[in-house]
Amino acid sequence: AQSVTQLDSQVPVFEEAPVELRCNYSSSVSVYLFWYVQYPNQGLQLLLKYLSGSTLVKGINGFEAEFNKSQTSFHLRKPSVHISDTAEYFCAVTGTASKLTFGTGTRLQVTL
Amino acid sequence: ETGVTQSPTHLIKTRGQQVTLRCSSQSGHNTVSWYQQALGQGPQFIFQYYREEENGRGNFPPRFSGLQFPNYSSELNVNALELDDSALYLCASSLGPNPDINYGYTFGSGTRLTVV
């Protein structure tokens, strides 16, 4: 079984500042990791995913994440955020099963 | 290409009633998964259908059931609604049952179900 912990429920940040959203996972098997973004009243949009290979993964909208197997982490980063990045962000994991296991989400609030 | 379309967008039902939610998969996708997202929580896996057969189920009671049709559209049915069933229900389609393939999942915008 897999599980995901998102350590911060809310992250306030000023526009143009860097941000890191933390995600830790647990699994007894090899994993695939994902970050999704959810804007108000919308579904989930894939930001990036780690399947194999390079541990630094680049996604859409300037986001990137680094897979760290020894620390079982997959933190999401952006060097300079914009007001439009305000949204809920979900980390998710899957192993060999068909389902995604999501964390409880981190609310990124970007202000001027 | 078309995305995933869910209907209705909002729904209010009374406790004890039955509800059917619908999902139209992205063109070419043969797999659909349903998730329940309670307020302030992450989505929880309900079940997945692949080529019209259930292909995995989460920790949900049997009153949650589904169907997938030959055109790969899908329904989620919930019987004997309870107040705790109030949530956003998300449908996700994919090209194949395993999310490790390159195409991943495409999520719909969801149906907001309120049980009163």
Side-chain angles (χ1 to χ4, degrees), chain A residues 81-101:
Chain A
V81 295
H82 189 268
I83 287 283
S84 60
D85 293 323
T86 294
E88 192 83 20
Y89 291 79
F90 292 96
C91 181
V93 63
T94 189
T96 57
S98 54
K99 68 173 185 177
L100 287 168
T101 299

Side-chain angles (χ1 to χ4, degrees), chain A residues 45-80:
Chain A
Q45 181 182 4
L46 180 66
L47 278 177
L48 49 77
K49 59 188 175 185
Y50 172 78
L51 303 180
S52 64
S54 174
T55 57
L56 182 62
V57 180
K58 293 189 182 297
I60 62 171
N61 301 340
F63 285 94
E64 64 180 32
E66 185 159 17
F67 171 61
N68 188 318
K69 188 175 182 179
S70 63
Q71 297 187 6
T72 61
S73 68
F74 190 55
H75 300 333
L76 181 70
R77 301 185 183 98
K78 186 170 183 178
S80 176

Side-chain angles (χ1 to χ4, degrees), chain A residues 32 34 36 38 41-46 49 51 88 90 94-105, chain B residues 33 35 37 40-45 48 55-56 88 90 97-105 107-109:
Chain A
Y32 307 102
F34 306 79
Y36 284 86
Q38 186 176 37
N41 300 315
Q42 294 190 26
L44 300 171
Q45 181 182 4
L46 180 66
K49 59 188 175 185
L51 303 180
E88 192 83 20
F90 292 96
T94 189
T96 57
S98 54
K99 68 173 185 177
L100 287 168
T101 299
F102 287 87
T104 53
Chain B
S33 304
Y35 288 81
Q37 186 180 11
Q41 300 296 317
Q44 299 288 317
F45 176 73
Q48 181 186 82
N55 181 50
L88 180 68
L90 295 166
N98 296 316
D100 57 334
I101 59 175
N102 290 329
Y103 299 101
Y105 290 111
F107 280 85
S109 298

